[in-house]
Amino acid sequence: MSEVETPRIGVFVCHCGHNIAGVVDVDKVAEVAEDMPYVVFSTHEMFMCADSGQELIRQKIKEHNLNRVVVASCSPRMHEPTFRRVVEEADLNRYLFEQVNLREHVSWCHMRQPVEATEKAIDLVRMSVARAAKLEALPIKKVEVTPRTLVVGSGIAGLTAALDIADRGFEVVIVEKDKVLGGAVAKWTHLFPSDQIGEQVIEPLIDRIMRHEKIEVVRDSKVVNFEGYIGNFEVTIQNNPTGAERTYKVGTVIVATGFEPFRPIGYYGYGESPDVVTLAELQEMPRQYELFKPSDGKPVKKIAFIGCVGSREPGTKGHEHCSRHCCSAVAKAASDLRQRCDEVLVLYQDIRTYGRGHEEMHRLARGRNVIYSKFPPDQKPQVTIRKGKVRLNWFDVLSEDHLQFEPDLLVLASAMVPPSDIEETANLFSLTRSADGFFNPEHIKLAPLTTHTAGIMIAGAAQAAKNAHESAIDASGAAAKAVGLMARGKVEIESTVAQVIPELCSTCYTCVSACPYGAISIDKDAKPQAARVTEAKCHGCGTCAGGCPSSAIVMLHSTDDQILAMVEAYLCTPQEVTGGNA
Amino acid sequence: MTQSMDYVETPKKYVSDNALVIGGGVAGMQAALDIANQGYKVYLVEKTPSIGGRMAAIDKTFPTLDCSACILTPKLSEVARHPNIELLTYSEVEKATGHEGNFTIKIRRKARYVHEDKCSGCGECAQVCPVEVPAEFEEKIGFRKAIYLPFPQATPAVYTIDMDTCINCKRCAKTCTRGAIDYEMKDKVVQLNVGAIVVATGYKLFDVSVYPRLGYGRYQNVINAMEYERLINAAGPTHGHLIRISDGKTPKDIGFIQCVGARDVNKGVPYCSRVCCMYGVKNAVMAREHDPEAKVTIYYADIRAFGKGFEEFYEMAKTRFGVNFVKGRVGEVVEDSETKDLIIEVEDINTAQLEEVRHDLLVICPGLQPPDGLETIAKVLKLEQSEDGYLDIEDTFSAPVTTTIPGVFTCGCADGPKDIPDSVTAGSAAAMRATIILSKAGAK
Amino acid sequence: MMTEAKATIVTENDWEPRIVAYCCNWCSYAGADLAGTSRIQYPPNARILRVNCTGRIKPEFILAALDMGADGVLVSGCHPGDCHYTSGNLKARARWALMEQVIEQAGVNPKRVRLQWASASEAQIFADGVRALVEQVKELGPIVREWK
Ligand SMILES: Cc1cc2nc3c(=O)[nH]c(=O)nc-3n(C[C@H](O)[C@H](O)[C@H](O)COP(=O)(O)OP(=O)(O)OC[C@H]3O[C@@H](n4cnc5c(N)ncnc54)[C@H](O)[C@@H]3O)c2cc1C
Ligand SMILES: Cc1cc2nc3c(=O)[nH]c(=O)nc-3n(C[C@H](O)[C@H](O)[C@H](O)COP(=O)(O)OP(=O)(O)OC[C@H]3O[C@@H](n4cnc5c(N)ncnc54)[C@H](O)[C@@H]3O)c2cc1C
Ligand code: SF4
Ligand code: SF4
Ligand code: SF4
Ligand code: FES
């Protein structure tokens, strides 16, 4: 622990253009901060994160000999890394930086209450200043990155990522739970936007994968255990049929576990007649020129598609997200099949053929006399099945008419949903999921391929519903992230781990059983015995410290003292009677 | 299928481990970073005085309403600071020869009349400059001086003199204490040797005056979406106050018209521009956020909310923000000569009614097109372009970021419209494919 | 040790509850961020403290906040099963029941504390949670010490 030095805190309040300053009286916040304990400098500035703002911090650190910096701006989840780097450039340890969230937590959610927002802002700054006074410098730790990537899933995303990484010269272990490689695309007969079938796209990739000397393929297997931290993961893979296990050391991971087609049981007669199928099932039908009815084997002359089945249906048993691929997949299949059937009908809500060549495909379908009819979102088509015949009734928006059609085959373009075991995958790799059920990226705009778990990337449909072209691009992108880490050879890791004060430890074993990572054990050789943390295994969650009855565990950068100082600063500072004046 | 470029005599095995990225938008920046992070040297060429591309000018971003500049700025400094990235702004590619692994490139570094190594970006010069001209970055709604920084976070933070409007009064040079200004500066041509190239030249906005019926260019209160982005931006010409250009009043009834210059075969833009629906929804939401009293209507063909979180955002626009969505085609726009309001004729497709509606501000949401100058780049690098002008890719699935020339990659909007996450992802992907080539130069 | 609330100089009328909100970094803090970016408006009474995981929250943190005069305490984390550290929130939940008893024995209405799960995408749930606690605490009035 560092020797005691008197804190000299600098406070920088950010306007974020109008984003913060439009609601919070930033002038006043900076002014009040000046009188807070240990604050020797306080100011406000248009954009703290801009080069000019960063330069200001560095300059003021030097000028006022600051040894703690508080920036009151946006969410630390966004810019903490930026500002930590800035203070480091001014020779201040990154753990002596503290950020206050005045934007997401104040100005944006109290837009019509400037006075209360300003008051809240001042409290939050005061709390962080109190915490800052108690911050301690921590060592910056670097670890080696094992030059091997684990790729989970062998759809087009997994295969592409594996090949890119291997072509770039690093080793890959690719694990697939299925018996065969290739994922969903390998099954599709009507592949948009090209005129190939899925196999033609996937086979060459599998071929190269199997021959590549840097790639090890593990099929019919699943990851059953995953430990470690960026650069140094240890993964145990179990063979499904035999139960045999093998352990690999890897430095980075790409999760490309894809999706499952939604099975719309109870929707539109699905499950009631064999002649109602999903688009996925249509694509998996035997490849022959003529299409036959699953029920009686007669040729299909009339075919109908319904879009958005289980997609864009918030609040029902469906899913709120758009599945992105189906409009285009339907356009492709409908226009292909129109060559072989007499009548092809497509019922839709909106047509989202957004991608390159997709609008053209849609136009081609219409050109081939595929009939498109829009139904209102709040009035879904009705399907009745009588004596084995499928009948469709719907309201056509354009003609404002109730229409009817009796297709030989009804195809439901069903949603892309996360694989049924996604929760297991999420837990293994500590990934969070967004509202659509797929994995959350680190940042939805600028970091779509990395996750909040350092060293773990996501690609393809595992991240969100998307088509194969986009999944392949994701894969190369995620591969670049993995290679970036491995090529550097070493990466920095967080120093915010648990530490035991042996003298206080009562060896009650609370922490040992609390730790989700098995990072604490009781050191039996120590005299007296005491708990001990294996730092490399500790993820810094603090569950041990939260439970320790003897307060023997110190969470670095999140000490009891630091937390309680914030609470005290909020509650025990005499309130100003007037409040804000904005 | 693919061809090699003019063959230059070099030892066969030689592979350069430097890369060239053309275009400093968010896609090009990401590509540069992901190459540089692997330890390779990257030259990032940008034709305007600053990197950042369109994202720097956008106000908020869908679907999270993050402020665009806030999330972009750290990327700008990351690029500027990266030891492996050399920024060549205000520069253009003139000539290229060679092949995968070994290209020779000539770059014209246009004279900015300010020495990059001397300018500290203090802006004293611009304060004394007497010339004011419409600012490109502000979509010409705001003004800049003849010596200018395109936007506050411009990277590098170096001023540039626009010699076309400079009156040569020399006041700026007298003010600059660092002697950074040099009226005699000449264009320079530099030659680079690189192993791989990434083209990330982005897009331009479709010119909506091509549709005279919409009144853009004739009526002051008909604006395009980019102009709107600047009008609601706190750092923009009105400090974030949304006003009507005609009288400076706050609009109370705003109409957004989608799909203008997209999905229209007759105007040579048969494709969907992919981002307009969502930026339209976003801007409508922002209008309600700026003024909860304002009425906001979107006229659309289909709302293509297809990306992660988009449908949820669209739903939120309808339910929580109360944006009014009308599926309809807008016909003739007429201006009320007195109030400067706009009267539009709409055919509501859901009700099949032809209606006349009055708005006090109309925002046209144009589609995207290949940027000016892409043809030149394509010619120089011998890349194929599709009919609509975007770069062709080698294969949709196996080589989605490779152009028809090996060793030359593409990302962002250069090969078709994309939103920010898709552009960034493609940037990383192009970097990956480029570094596979660079890695053959030897152990790294 | 327990004394009169230090800041109850305000009159009944303009009394506004003071809420300490402990949020885990991965789900609830992110959910609160999303509430901001989505411009969801909620009462400005809560001050959010970021901790890595709800498992970090010692019962003492909650008791100390009440002792120092907080009118309510919110603890918000990932849904059970979704904890970034796999199971920290399960420990937090297990400790919670005990903590409520302690609070009650100390004479504080356990309605002043609230444990909720809100994921990174559940901005509305987060905001609703803050609102619910603020309203509940408003009904109870300012915290009064009844124990010595
Ligand atoms: C009906 C339909 C038609 C489509 N048509 C087209 C089209 O024409 N053109 C187009 O571009 N796109 C199309 N798509 C979309 C396309 O299928 C997807 O974009 C693509 O499959 C995504 O690839 P992926 O590798 O991310 O996922 P997937 O293809 O789903 O592959 C994921 C792989 O991971 C494996 N896996 C999952 N979990 C685990 C685990 N825990 N451990 C190990 N392995 C695991 C799975 O078994 C699978 O092999 C269509 C989709 C559907 C539903
Ligand atoms: C009104 C509007 C609002 C939008 N809002 C959003 C939004 O909210 N969210 C979202 O995700 N997307 C949004 N977009 C889309 C977003 O702008 C693009 O996704 C993104 O800018 C694409 O990045 P890029 O790098 O491909 O292109 P650009 O941003 O266009 O960058 C290209 C760069 O290349 C340079 N360049 C061009 N030609 C040359 C050359 N010959 N030599 C050297 N340099 C060259 C240009 O100067 C420019 O700096 C919006 C678009 C518009 C029009
Ligand atoms: S892609 Fe089309 S069919 Fe599929 S969910 Fe989205 S809008 Fe519906
Ligand atoms: S903080 Fe404690 S409980 Fe959490 S991982 Fe580290 S040792 Fe285990
Ligand atoms: S520091 Fe944060 S709040 Fe300030 S300008 Fe940057 S993004 Fe906005
Ligand atoms: S990380 Fe959110 S509760 Fe554990």
Side-chain angles (χ1 to χ4, degrees):
Chain A
M1 251 157 250
S2 65
E3 69 263 36
V4 202
E5 50 171 3
T6 312
R8 297 181 58 81
I9 302 175
V11 177
F12 300 82
V13 183
C14 182
H15 297 207
C16 199
H18 213 55
N19 285 305
I20 295 171
V23 178
V24 172
D25 183 346
V26 287
D27 255 308
K28 170 150 191 196
V29 176
E31 191 191 309
V32 175
E34 233 164 79
D35 297 330
M36 293 178 188
Y38 301 114
V39 172
V40 294
F41 174 78
S42 168
T43 188
H44 56 95
E45 165 82 13
M46 188 57 107
F47 291 109
M48 282 313 301
C49 60
D51 275 340
S52 53
Q54 299 187 10
E55 182 50 38
L56 182 75
I57 297 177
R58 287 187 292 258
Q59 192 192 323
K60 294 298 169 191
I61 290 177
K62 294 281 174 252
E63 195 178 316
H64 297 274
N65 210 3
L66 304 176
N67 56 19
R68 307 282 191 281
V69 169
V70 174
V71 173
S73 55
C74 45
S75 173
R77 291 172 56 85
M78 179 143 97
H79 275 336
E80 194 172 55
T82 314
F83 294 122
R84 280 183 167 187
R85 193 206 70 239
V86 171
V87 301
E88 243 162 18
E89 283 162 0
D91 300 320
L92 203 60
N93 183 275
R94 70 176 70 151
Y95 295 100
L96 298 175
F97 165 76
E98 169 74 7
Q99 191 166 357
V100 191
N101 190 341
L102 295 191
R103 199 179 66 180
E104 283 82 348
H105 290 188
V106 184
S107 62
W108 277 352
C109 53
H110 312 307
M111 303 185 71
R112 323 242 173 274
Q113 293 168 279
V115 176
E116 290 83 351
T118 303
E119 213 170 282
K120 178 168 174 180
I122 292 172
D123 279 344
L124 291 176
V125 170
R126 178 177 294 121
M127 291 159 74
S128 283
V129 165
R131 173 175 152 84
K134 306 221 175 243
L135 289 176
E136 283 172 30
L138 298 177
I140 308 303
K141 290 187 284 189
K142 278 195 170 190
V143 295
E144 307 258 343
V145 183
T146 309
R148 186 180 300 116
T149 304
L150 169 73
V151 175
V152 189
S154 74
I156 190 165
L159 295 174
T160 306
L163 281 172
D164 279 350
I165 294 171
D167 285 348
R168 170 70 178 76
F170 292 95
E171 284 178 23
V172 177
V173 178
I174 179 166
V175 54
E176 167 59 56
K177 69 176 172 191
D178 208 348
K179 289 191 182 64
V180 293
L181 304 183
V185 175
K187 301 174 188 157
W188 306 150
T189 37
H190 308 274
L191 196 65
F192 70 80
S194 66
D195 258 329
Q196 295 159 291
I197 61 166
E199 252 174 31
Q200 288 170 303
V201 170
I202 294 295
E203 278 310 320
L205 298 179
I206 297 183
D207 222 50
R208 279 193 59 213
I209 289 263
M210 298 313 287
R211 281 185 290 119
H212 210 298
E213 51 168 11
K214 298 239 176 232
I215 302 178
E216 180 174 343
V217 180
V218 191
R219 261 183 287 209
D220 206 357
S221 302
K222 279 184 89 163
V223 175
V224 289
N225 195 34
F226 185 76
E227 278 177 21
Y229 50 96
I230 181 171
N232 300 271
F233 297 112
E234 204 175 278
V235 27
T236 310
I237 300 176
Q238 190 182 55
N239 185 271
N240 292 336
T242 67
E245 288 185 357
R246 261 199 75 180
T247 303
Y248 297 83
K249 286 202 183 313
V250 299
T252 52
V253 179
I254 294 177
V255 177
T257 46
F259 72 101
E260 256 170 37
F262 173 57
R263 296 199 65 234
I265 311 252
Y267 271 76
Y268 302 123
Y270 185 80
E272 290 170 47
S273 161
D275 295 333
V276 180
V277 298
T278 63
L279 182 60
E281 286 159 353
L282 171 79
Q283 304 237 18
E284 289 174 59
M285 283 186 181
R287 276 167 209 170
Q288 48 204 13
Y289 185 77
E290 223 169 347
L291 204 57
F292 298 102
K293 287 170 73 177
S295 59
D296 55 13
K298 291 199 184 127
V300 172
K301 292 286 169 211
K302 296 196 285 184
I303 184 165
F305 292 85
I306 303 180
C308 295
V309 178
S311 301
R312 310 182 55 198
E313 297 187 280
T316 64
K317 55 186 155 175
H319 311 270
E320 185 165 4
H321 64 268
C322 161
S323 290
R324 199 164 170 162
H325 73 287
C326 9
C327 282
S328 305
V330 165
K332 173 69 178 164
S335 102
D336 279 3
L337 291 173
R338 183 61 186 83
Q339 312 275 72
R340 311 177 215 163
C341 301
D342 298 339
E343 278 179 80
V344 178
L345 167 73
V346 176
L347 300 185
Y348 68 96
Q349 281 193 68
D350 288 287
I351 297 176
R352 295 180 166 174
T353 41
Y354 61 86
R356 187 170 181 164
H358 298 190
E359 193 68 14
E360 290 80 347
M361 249 162 26
H362 166 214
R363 219 168 274 128
L364 177 71
R366 289 196 189 239
R368 284 180 178 167
N369 294 321
V370 168
I371 303 159
Y372 272 82
S373 167
K374 179 179 164 71
F375 63 84
D378 49 0
Q379 213 177 323
K380 298 267 152 96
Q382 296 297 316
V383 175
T384 42
I385 291 161
R386 206 165 299 142
K387 295 202 193 109
K389 277 206 77 73
V390 179
R391 177 182 292 168
L392 251 175
N393 285 293
W394 78 100
F395 181 77
D396 176 67
V397 167
L398 286 183
S399 64
E400 286 194 85
D401 239 346
H402 288 278
L403 302 179
Q404 202 183 71
F405 187 64
E406 289 193 358
D408 298 324
L409 187 68
L410 174 61
V411 181
L412 307 179
S414 74
M416 270 180 154
V417 296
S420 51
D421 60 354
I422 190 160
E423 198 168 328
E424 191 186 307
T425 315
N427 286 340
L428 265 175
F429 300 104
S430 300
L431 302 179
T432 55
R433 299 193 284 143
S434 36
D436 56 11
F438 294 102
F439 297 121
N440 240 340
E442 188 179 346
H443 190 279
I444 195 164
K445 306 266 29 158
L446 290 182
L449 303 171
T450 44
T451 69
H452 281 296
T453 309
I456 301 188
M457 273 58 71
I458 45 179
Q463 192 251 23
K466 56 182 63 142
N467 66 39
H469 164 74
E470 294 156 346
S471 299
I473 296 179
D474 270 15
S476 293
K481 303 288 173 196
V483 169
L485 295 170
M486 297 188 291
R488 259 176 282 171
K490 276 190 176 172
V491 289
E492 286 176 1
I493 55 164
E494 283 287 331
S495 302
T496 49
V497 290
Q499 259 180 7
V500 177
I501 307 171
E503 300 80 56
L504 296 182
C505 175
S506 52
T507 58
C508 65
Y509 280 79
T510 309
C511 58
V512 178
S513 61
C515 177
Y517 301 98
I520 311 193
S521 52
I522 300 291
D523 188 348
K524 296 234 164 71
D525 299 333
K527 260 184 219 130
Q529 291 188 0
R532 206 192 47 184
V533 178
T534 309
E535 282 197 6
K537 282 189 177 174
C538 174
H539 288 227
C541 66
T543 308
C544 51
C548 177
S550 316
S551 293
I553 298 178
V554 177
M555 286 309 304
L556 296 177
H557 207 56
S558 176
T559 65
D560 291 8
D561 228 20
Q562 288 162 356
I563 292 172
L564 290 173
M566 294 181 83
V567 179
E568 193 183 333
Y570 169 34
L571 296 169
C572 302
T573 309
Q575 278 182 321
E576 273 182 66
V577 191
T578 42
N581 66 350
Chain B
M1 182 174 59
T2 53
Q3 63 191 98
S4 173
M5 308 210 319
D6 309 344
Y7 191 68
V8 179
E9 279 305 321
T10 32
K12 239 212 154 82
K13 284 244 182 60
Y14 173 79
V15 171
S16 160
D17 63 357
N18 299 337
L20 168 70
V21 176
I22 309 171
V26 69
M29 290 182 346
Q30 190 60 53
L33 283 170
D34 280 326
I35 297 171
N37 278 340
Q38 294 188 28
Y40 301 114
K41 164 114 197 175
V42 183
Y43 300 98
L44 177 53
V45 173
E46 163 61 48
K47 76 171 172 193
T48 69
S50 169
I51 57 171
R54 292 288 183 163
M55 203 183 151
I58 292 171
D59 181 51
K60 298 287 185 300
T61 59
F62 61 78
T64 52
L65 296 181
D66 266 322
C67 106
S68 189
C70 301
I71 56 179
L72 182 71
T73 316
K75 272 249 145 86
L76 293 174
S77 30
E78 196 182 345
V79 170
R81 235 184 29 245
H82 206 294
N84 295 336
I85 300 178
E86 188 172 328
L87 275 185
L88 304 170
T89 48
Y90 214 39
S91 303
E92 276 179 76
V93 175
E94 270 199 347
K95 201 161 177 268
T97 52
H99 52 84
E100 172 178 315
N102 184 11
F103 295 100
T104 303
I105 312 287
K106 283 212 169 82
I107 311 268
R108 174 170 297 272
R109 306 217 57 195
K110 291 175 280 188
R112 56 189 333 150
Y113 306 102
V114 177
H115 287 287
E116 286 190 19
D117 49 345
K118 289 192 186 150
C119 173
S120 71
C122 68
E124 303 281 338
C125 50
Q127 291 195 357
V128 299
C129 175
V131 181
E132 271 204 345
V133 291
E136 296 81 359
F137 186 81
E138 303 296 354
E139 297 295 318
K140 311 226 162 149
I141 299 174
F143 293 90
R144 64 161 170 84
K145 296 295 180 67
I147 183 163
Y148 69 106
L149 198 62
F151 55 101
Q153 300 95 326
T155 308
V158 171
Y159 277 70
T160 303
I161 299 182
D162 165 12
M163 270 305 168
D164 292 343
T165 53
C166 169
I167 54 167
N168 222 351
C169 67
K170 306 235 157 60
R171 289 192 204 176
C172 54
K174 277 182 219 122
T175 315
C176 181
T177 51
R178 308 174 72 114
I181 294 165
D182 173 3
Y183 300 99
E184 305 305 317
M185 197 184 255
K186 294 271 173 315
D187 286 8
K188 259 196 300 203
V189 175
V190 294
Q191 182 166 319
L192 311 172
N193 175 235
V194 299
I197 301 172
V198 177
V199 183
T201 44
Y203 64 90
K204 75 165 183 208
L205 224 53
F206 183 89
D207 176 10
V208 291
S209 58
V210 166
Y211 296 89
R213 67 164 212 279
L214 297 177
Y216 179 81
R218 280 190 293 141
Y219 307 141
Q220 281 185 299
N221 294 330
V222 179
I223 60 174
N224 75 27
M226 214 59 193
E227 293 163 347
Y228 177 89
E229 297 272 357
R230 294 315 299 158
L231 277 179
I232 60 168
N233 188 284
T238 56
H239 303 290
H241 298 296
L242 178 57
I243 51 161
R244 310 204 311 163
I245 305 287
S246 69
D247 52 13
K249 282 199 192 130
T250 314
K252 287 287 169 199
D253 190 343
I254 311 171
F256 287 86
I257 306 178
Q258 297 301 132
C259 264
V260 178
R263 305 171 65 189
D264 186 342
V265 182
N266 298 328
K267 295 280 191 267
V269 277
Y271 53 88
C272 160
S273 278
R274 263 174 100 148
V275 295
C276 346
C277 279
M278 288 312 289
Y279 79 58
V281 175
K282 166 192 76 174
N283 284 335
V285 163
M286 290 314 296
R288 292 276 299 174
E289 204 210 74
H290 275 242
D291 181 1
E293 314 280 277
K295 222 180 123 200
V296 176
T297 309
I298 292 190
Y299 301 97
Y300 69 99
D302 299 282
I303 289 288
R304 298 194 156 162
F306 57 81
K308 191 172 178 88
F310 291 8
E311 184 71 24
E312 293 83 341
F313 184 69
Y314 170 37
E315 198 54 38
M316 181 173 98
K318 284 191 283 192
T319 51
R320 204 145 59 67
F321 284 93
V323 172
N324 180 24
F325 284 84
V326 175
K327 185 175 170 92
R329 212 186 83 94
V330 173
E332 192 76 20
V333 175
V334 186
E335 184 184 69
D336 177 333
S337 55
E338 207 160 293
T339 59
K340 306 282 182 207
D341 285 355
L342 304 147
I343 297 141
I344 66 169
E345 198 174 66
V346 206
E347 185 197 339
D348 185 326
I349 295 178
N350 285 339
T351 59
Q353 298 280 340
L354 207 62
E355 280 178 80
E356 271 196 0
V357 189
R358 180 182 280 262
H359 288 289
D360 54 8
L361 180 69
L362 267 188
V363 184
I364 300 185
C365 301
L368 312 187
Q369 277 189 306
D372 296 329
L374 183 58
E375 237 162 80
T376 320
I377 293 276
K379 206 181 272 159
V380 166
L381 295 170
K382 298 196 168 50
L383 310 175
E384 283 167 33
Q385 287 169 281
S386 61
E387 241 173 76
D388 40 41
Y390 290 106
L391 295 183
D392 260 337
I393 51 172
E394 200 198 294
D395 184 78
T396 314
F397 302 111
S398 67
V401 291
T402 312
T403 66
T404 45
I405 297 287
V408 183
F409 303 91
T410 165
C411 61
C413 296
D415 59 291
K418 285 181 193 65
D419 58 20
I420 294 162
D422 286 354
S423 297
V424 169
T425 300
S428 296
M432 182 68 239
R433 294 290 165 100
T435 56
I436 292 175
I437 296 170
L438 305 184
S439 69
K440 302 199 174 109
K444 263 279 159 181
Chain C
M1 163 191 157
M2 306 281 173
T3 50
E4 270 303 301
K6 296 179 180 89
T8 37
I9 7 140
V10 284
T11 61
E12 273 297 310
N13 283 339
D14 44 46
W15 169 74
E16 276 291 331
R18 298 197 293 166
I19 310 283
V20 171
Y22 295 104
C23 292
C24 86
N25 181 45
W26 305 97
C27 287
S28 288
Y29 194 91
D33 278 2
L34 187 63
T37 44
S38 316
R39 312 298 196 274
I40 294 172
Q41 306 295 303
Y42 58 89
N45 304 61
R47 307 289 177 262
I48 295 176
L49 269 95
R50 186 165 67 132
V51 290
N52 269 352
C53 175
T54 52
R56 169 71 186 101
I57 300 164
K58 273 190 176 178
E60 285 95 312
F61 294 174
I62 295 157
L63 300 171
L66 293 169
D67 179 32
M68 290 188 232
D71 300 301
V73 178
L74 176 71
V75 170
S76 191
C78 314
H79 286 277
D82 283 352
C83 171
H84 182 74
Y85 306 101
T86 67
S87 60
N89 54 1
L90 301 183
K91 292 282 183 289
R93 187 171 61 180
R95 286 175 204 145
W96 189 258
L98 210 72
M99 218 258 334
E100 275 183 328
Q101 283 179 14
V102 175
I103 292 182
E104 202 159 7
Q105 278 163 15
V108 175
N109 192 328
K111 282 193 177 152
R112 291 190 184 275
V113 295
R114 178 186 167 96
L115 174 67
Q116 71 176 28
W117 313 124
S119 79
S121 58
E122 294 173 337
Q124 191 67 52
I125 292 184
F126 177 82
D128 290 348
V130 172
R131 188 182 298 278
L133 181 61
V134 169
E135 276 164 17
Q136 198 160 309
V137 168
K138 272 191 177 163
E139 261 170 43
L140 298 174
I143 191 160
V144 199
R145 295 318 139 79
E146 290 165 7
W147 79 91
K148 280 271 156 314

